Amino acid sequence: MVGMTLVIAVKWLMRDKEAVLMVSDTRARVGGLTPYEARKILPIIIIRDEEEVPLAIVGGAGEATFIKYAFRVCEDVLKSRAGEWNYRTPTALQFEKAVRAIEGILTDRYFYLESKGIESNYQLILASVDEYGKASIYTVDSRGLVTPVHDNPGFAMIGSGFITGGALLMRLLGYSPETSNEMDLGVLTAFIIDVVSLVDQNVGPFTGESYLMRYDVEERKVTLGPLKPEAIIEYRERVKQRRNLIRHLWRLCDLIGEENLEEILQEFEKELSQGELHAKLENS
């Protein structure tokens, strides 16, 4: 079974540009003679003229040995091509070609290990955003084979949490790339990880390993950075509140019926949208 964890990457529409948010559950603690924390998300960055140039984000689920090797392959391939890209963030096409090169190395490794009777046990997510605001997301299976997912379904999810409810919650809560600008995907992904951790003992709670890659319109460059500690605290509190709200809504359905509750919510949404329109007219 691949992945005692849950890693999620989602395409997030910000203004007219696409971004990628990648989050994971608690960092894994790997045992042995010298225990250590295994990273599940690796930001790949080069330094050029004392400035950071983001290349990609990689997420991994599965056995730490395989993930560490795959992370190193991704980092080596992407950094080795930085000169061809004039030390800039790769375009979507350039990134795709680099991902195919990574696929070749990982599939060769798979066949070599298989010939030795060793079973590969890992999955990857490879993601990037270019200077045109185009997001790319690819998944890599245990054979090293790559699948693009940025257009459909617009998100990637790896680890045991995918099977035990992660994908179901993503659909149930209404995620789609086209309407993602109307949602706080930080809260959504944290909520999914937290809820799945309640039913899957292999998935830890959300503790804030989260990276956002986007094109910054003001700075006119691609940026990549982790979630700030204060945002982590806020998200965890909001996740708790939303879990309580779902329970309340379920109880109200039993008390007054689904149709009555839906009518009340639709009326509230109508008043809210009218109020927002009025506020915009006043500020214009």
Side-chain angles (χ1 to χ4, degrees):
M1 181 179 178
V2 174
M4 293 186 175
T5 189
L6 180 57
V7 182
I8 306 171
V10 289
K11 184 165 73 173
W12 194 346
L13 192 60
M14 294 183 167
R15 298 184 184 178
D16 60 341
K17 307 291 184 184
E18 297 171 354
V20 171
L21 176 69
M22 189 179 293
V23 303
S24 80
D25 63 339
T26 316
R27 283 192 180 187
R29 190 158 181 82
V30 179
L33 295 175
T34 54
Y36 64 94
E37 278 194 339
R39 297 193 72 168
K40 297 180 182 180
I41 300 178
L42 175 70
I44 301 177
I45 296 167
I46 58 169
I47 305 298
R48 181 69 172 174
D49 297 328
E50 299 184 353
E51 285 214 5
E52 291 187 347
V53 179
L55 301 180
I57 332 170
V58 188
E63 291 184 20
T65 302
F66 294 107
I67 295 172
K68 286 179 72 175
Y69 175 80
F71 276 7
R72 189 166 67 250
V73 168
C74 295
E75 193 168 25
D76 289 348
V77 169
L78 289 164
K79 287 186 175 181
S80 70
R81 294 182 173 226
E84 299 174 27
W85 305 331
N86 296 318
Y87 301 98
R88 301 172 74 93
T89 303
T91 65
L93 180 58
Q94 290 169 335
F95 185 63
E96 180 184 2
K97 290 179 178 178
V99 169
R100 293 304 173 187
I102 291 167
E103 179 181 44
I105 296 170
L106 294 179
T107 51
D108 285 348
R109 172 79 168 175
Y110 167 77
F111 287 119
Y112 170 76
L113 292 175
E114 189 181 44
S115 71
K116 300 294 182 181
I118 301 171
E119 184 180 354
S120 296
N121 182 22
Y122 76 100
Q123 293 172 311
L124 294 180
I125 301 173
L126 283 156
S128 187
V129 175
D130 68 16
E131 294 179 345
Y132 301 98
K134 171 64 178 173
S136 301
I137 306 175
Y138 297 86
T139 58
V140 183
D141 68 18
S142 59
R143 299 166 296 174
L145 297 176
V146 166
T147 303
V149 296
H150 36 264
D151 291 326
N152 184 27
F155 70 91
M157 196 176 296
I158 57 174
S160 65
F162 172 81
I163 301 165
T164 53
L168 172 64
L169 284 168
M170 186 72 84
R171 294 299 191 190
L172 184 65
L173 295 171
Y175 169 80
S176 75
E178 296 77 20
T179 59
S180 59
N181 60 325
E182 300 171 4
M183 306 178 77
D184 187 330
L185 296 189
V187 177
L188 176 67
T189 51
F191 179 88
I192 289 171
I193 288 173
D194 237 42
V195 171
V196 171
S197 73
L198 297 175
V199 295
D200 187 343
Q201 63 181 1
N202 294 319
V203 176
F206 173 74
T207 57
E209 189 167 18
S210 173
Y211 286 84
L212 177 66
M213 189 171 184
R214 67 188 180 94
Y215 179 76
D216 190 309
V217 177
E218 281 74 28
E219 295 189 21
R220 300 176 69 179
K221 65 178 183 180
V222 177
T223 61
L224 169 58
L227 202 62
K228 294 178 180 178
E230 56 268 28
I232 296 170
I233 295 169
E234 178 193 339
Y235 279 157
R236 292 177 73 175
E237 183 58 33
R238 291 175 67 186
V239 164
K240 183 180 177 182
Q241 290 172 341
R242 293 197 184 201
R243 279 168 51 187
N244 289 334
L245 284 169
I246 288 172
R247 293 191 187 102
H248 287 318
L249 284 171
W250 196 275
R251 192 158 58 247
L252 283 170
C253 285
D254 292 333
L255 290 172
I256 66 173
E258 290 81 2
E259 289 184 3
N260 288 331
L261 180 58
E262 186 175 18
E263 187 177 326
I264 291 168
L265 290 173
Q266 286 176 347
E267 189 63 32
F268 177 73
E269 284 182 336
K270 191 186 298 181
E271 290 177 8
L272 181 65
S273 61
Q274 289 173 348
E276 286 177 345
L277 178 61
H278 181 68
K280 285 179 181 178
L281 289 171
E282 282 188 336
N283 293 328
S284 62

